[in-house]
Amino acid sequence: MSFGSGIYRQRRLIFACATVAFGSILFGYDSGVMGAAIVLPSFDVRFGLEGSAIEVANVASNVVSYLTAGSLTVAPFAGLISYYWGRRTSLVIGAICLLIGAVVQTSAHTIAQLYAGRFVGGLGVGTAMQIAGMYISEVAPPHLRGSVVTIVMIMLYVGSLLAYWISFGVSRHVSNTSDAQWQILLGFQIVLGGIFLIGLMFVPESPRFYAGQQVNAEKRLRADGLPLPRRFPSSTYTSAEKDLGDEKTDPDATNDSNSETSAGPTVAFHPTYFSHIVPASTSADATQAIATLAYLRGLPPTDDSVKAEMAEIYAQLDELTAEREKESVWVAVRKPSNVKRFLITIFVGTWQAWSGASALLYYAATVFVSLGLSATSVSLLAGGVFSIVTLISAILAALWGMRMWGRIRGGQIAGFMLAVIFFTIAAILATHPVNPAAPHITAASVVLIILIYLFGVVDTLMLGPILYLYPTEIFPMGLREAGQAVYLMATWVHAFLGAKYVPIGLAAIGWKFWLVFGCTNVVGLIIYGLTCPETSGKTIEEIGVMFGDITADERDAHVQDALRAAKVSVPAPSTV
């Protein structure tokens, strides 16, 4: 298959992942927009950012940190909504919150109204970021999961780029005394939120969510002594079902599927998805799971590769169901393998927030001012160039970086390089103090700015995508929502602390604050290498074996049973 035909066949998967990841554009824009707005004269006058450096930093940090406060608040609940109503429904709710928050911010006349808009927007941002990675990791093929999930990071930096370049534009072309200067900047969130909401109308639900609903329905039917619907389609299917895939195969050439093992009737397929804002009833979920997977893969539902992938999903869900019949979810959470997962997740979220990325995402313009770029337009221009550097690096990470060095080696190399960068910045600032009011940029300032750009390359090419991806792929289906919630709560707690105290720290202790980021990366790379297994190239179900949920032989036996039920050729077990 040529590259072009492969892209065409995967067009639905690409569209779904790009649309879901679009929510992170709003996170990048919302995060960058306030970091840019607080250096605009009209914004400072309207909302009273006046006084000493510490006083201004305190108000500015409040404006920025209310977004992360909203994201932290919603973190425990977004996973519950996703578990009961689906990934896509959660994203729709998040998009609505984003739009409401954007309208409130744009129309703000007081600092309290601005805080409220930021908080509501944070509810939407937190939901979008929490569910996007989960959805994409569930629908992406294992060999592409790292690259596809990196789309979330690419969109984040696209949002940051838009924030800084629009800020630069309004600082040059709109009067410093006009409220339109900052209202245009904040109002653009409404445009982005509208695009996100409309795009979600054409995105299918996660097939793993549908499969989980089906297994739960089977459990109830079995308890009531009722027949079960088929999990896999028969070899004869209608033209509407066949249109789910692009590769036309002869139905008679495929093996008959589960005709002997099905206890009940087949349920209709659902080739139309954009109307399913709320998941359909569980009576339709049996075929929705495999139909949705086939739709995303660009293959017919009876294709052996689709049924094989679905068999592995069902195998893990059946194992989970059997486990839940023996023990409650609270008992499962306390299992050593899951305790390890949660501890890794908390560590990763903490490292990601204090690696230095949050400080540069929220306060790039402020950081450049502290390094010697005092003029508003110049600091915004430097922030805009920084956003271009990070975007290009994120694209390179998606194209080949994530597959080149894996999760663990890439994270350790990046952590080491970031530590060197921050220790160097601290050393230069300690020996060559920068005067932001100086009429000319010094050689020390030039070196410092180059180091900040180098940080952007290393973080977005390696560490940022790796730390975002890792927690999305290590949890089994029954704990994925809880795991993602814990990861985001850890991230948002520390992002809130960073958003609140980074400008205050820079104003109060100067170069010493950069040592915090350097030390965090040293500790992070050591813990990461000692505790985290390599997950690159593994299916979500195979990762469960790595964490000790089940042995490889037991998982192979369950998968082979599911494949036999689907009448897919079962490979002989390896004796090597």
Side-chain angles (χ1 to χ4, degrees):
M1 180 186 298
S2 68
F3 177 78
S5 61
I7 292 293
Y8 179 77
R9 199 187 78 182
Q10 299 285 349
R11 68 191 185 280
R12 294 161 180 160
L13 173 68
I14 294 170
F15 173 80
C17 291
T19 301
V20 169
F22 193 87
S24 64
I25 284 187
L26 285 133
F27 173 51
Y29 190 86
D30 278 8
S31 300
V33 74
M34 279 303 168
I38 59 179
V39 301
L40 293 176
S42 62
F43 185 89
D44 295 347
V45 171
R46 165 60 66 184
F47 297 107
L49 270 69
E50 300 172 345
S52 68
I54 298 295
E55 291 172 338
V56 171
N58 186 55
V59 176
S61 66
N62 286 338
V63 173
V64 174
S65 61
Y66 263 83
L67 180 80
T68 55
S71 299
L72 174 60
T73 301
V74 80
F77 306 106
L80 290 174
I81 297 172
S82 172
Y83 180 80
Y84 289 106
W85 291 353
R87 304 350 180 182
R88 195 177 128 208
T89 304
S90 303
L91 291 167
V92 169
I93 294 173
I96 293 171
C97 289
L98 284 165
L99 282 170
I100 294 173
V103 171
V104 173
Q105 291 174 61
T106 306
S107 61
H109 293 287
T110 65
I111 194 69
Q113 185 179 351
L114 186 66
Y115 287 163
R118 293 287 288 171
F119 183 84
V120 174
L123 298 176
V125 163
T127 302
M129 290 299 291
Q130 181 168 339
I131 305 304
M134 183 191 308
Y135 177 93
I136 294 172
S137 68
E138 288 182 354
V139 303
H143 66 286
L144 294 177
R145 190 171 60 245
S147 296
V148 173
V149 172
T150 307
I151 293 175
V152 176
M153 304 303 295
I154 292 175
M155 296 292 193
L156 188 153
Y157 293 114
V158 168
S160 179
L161 181 147
L162 289 172
Y164 277 98
W165 284 106
I166 292 176
S167 301
F168 178 71
V170 297
S171 73
R172 295 292 300 273
H173 301 292
V174 181
S175 171
N176 288 339
T177 62
S178 172
D179 283 345
Q181 190 180 54
W182 60 268
Q183 287 175 335
I184 292 172
L185 190 59
L186 299 187
F188 193 67
Q189 297 174 89
I190 301 172
V191 176
L192 296 176
I195 294 172
F196 183 41
L197 183 60
I198 293 171
L200 289 173
M201 300 300 102
F202 302 92
V203 171
E205 181 54 82
S206 164
R208 279 182 169 83
F209 171 78
Y210 279 141
Q213 294 291 94
Q214 163 61 17
V215 170
N216 290 336
E218 287 178 354
K219 183 179 178 180
R220 295 192 294 269
L221 292 172
R222 194 178 293 110
D224 295 337
L226 298 174
L228 304 181
R230 285 177 175 169
R231 286 182 170 180
F232 297 93
S234 63
S235 60
T236 304
Y237 50 93
T238 67
S239 60
E241 294 158 5
K242 189 171 183 178
D243 286 343
L244 286 167
D246 296 312
E247 293 187 357
K248 307 305 180 183
T249 58
D250 180 6
D252 296 328
T254 59
N255 294 325
D256 187 32
S257 175
N258 72 356
S259 57
E260 300 115 19
T261 57
S262 280
T266 308
V267 191
F269 283 84
H270 293 267
T272 303
Y273 295 102
F274 62 84
S275 60
H276 293 169
I277 301 302
V278 177
S281 65
T282 53
S283 64
D285 287 339
T287 53
Q288 275 185 314
I290 196 167
T292 305
L293 184 63
Y295 175 85
L296 290 168
R297 296 290 180 266
L299 296 169
T302 52
D303 186 271
D304 275 1
S305 66
V306 173
K307 291 194 287 186
E309 185 175 355
M310 203 72 232
E312 189 168 11
I313 294 172
Y314 278 127
Q316 188 189 51
L317 289 169
D318 288 338
E319 293 160 8
L320 178 64
T321 300
E323 184 179 298
R324 290 293 177 271
E325 291 174 351
K326 299 176 183 177
E327 60 185 23
S328 69
V329 66
W330 300 113
V331 174
V333 166
R334 295 195 296 270
K335 290 176 63 176
S337 61
N338 291 327
V339 170
K340 180 179 180 180
R341 285 182 169 102
F342 282 112
L343 290 176
I344 287 174
T345 295
I346 293 170
F347 155 70
V348 168
T350 303
W351 186 16
Q352 186 172 46
W354 287 103
S355 66
S358 294
L360 271 298
L361 179 63
Y362 294 136
Y363 296 113
T366 301
V367 167
F368 285 119
V369 169
S370 72
L371 299 181
L373 301 182
S374 57
T376 297
S377 60
V378 175
S379 64
L380 289 172
L381 177 61
V385 174
F386 179 78
S387 67
I388 293 175
V389 170
T390 54
L391 175 59
I392 293 173
S393 300
I395 293 173
L396 292 176
L399 293 177
W400 56 269
M402 293 294 288
R403 295 191 299 273
M404 179 179 177
W405 40 65
R407 313 289 191 257
I408 305 306
R409 185 179 63 173
Q412 289 183 296
I413 294 172
F416 174 78
M417 295 177 68
L418 294 184
V420 171
I421 289 171
F422 286 124
F423 287 139
T424 305
I425 289 174
I428 293 174
L429 286 173
T431 57
H432 297 78
V434 172
N435 180 10
H440 302 292
I441 299 175
T442 65
S445 292
V446 172
V447 174
L448 290 168
I449 292 167
I450 291 173
L451 287 171
I452 292 296
Y453 287 153
L454 181 59
F455 161 83
V457 172
V458 175
D459 181 71
T460 52
L461 186 61
M462 302 172 72
L463 190 64
I466 290 171
L467 295 187
Y468 179 76
L469 169 63
Y470 200 81
T472 70
E473 58 185 4
I474 63 174
F475 283 92
M477 278 295 296
L479 294 175
R480 289 181 65 76
E481 293 84 1
Q484 193 71 354
V486 169
Y487 162 67
L488 265 299
M489 287 180 69
T491 301
W492 292 125
V493 164
H494 292 284
F496 173 80
L497 293 174
K500 176 64 181 174
Y501 293 110
V502 163
I504 297 174
L506 289 174
I509 62 175
W511 64 270
K512 299 181 184 69
F513 200 80
W514 295 99
L515 296 176
V516 174
F517 300 132
C519 293
T520 299
N521 284 296
V522 170
V523 175
L525 72 91
I526 295 172
I527 296 176
Y528 191 61
L530 293 176
T531 61
C532 300
E534 180 59 70
T535 58
S536 180
K538 305 291 184 182
T539 67
I540 292 175
E541 291 70 30
E542 288 171 337
I543 293 171
V545 175
M546 295 171 59
F547 274 87
D549 297 335
I550 191 173
T551 67
D553 290 341
E554 290 172 327
R555 171 56 55 77
D556 287 344
H558 293 165
V559 172
Q560 289 179 2
D561 288 343
L563 290 172
R564 275 189 284 269
K567 289 297 182 67
V568 177
S569 177
V570 179
S574 174
T575 58
V576 179

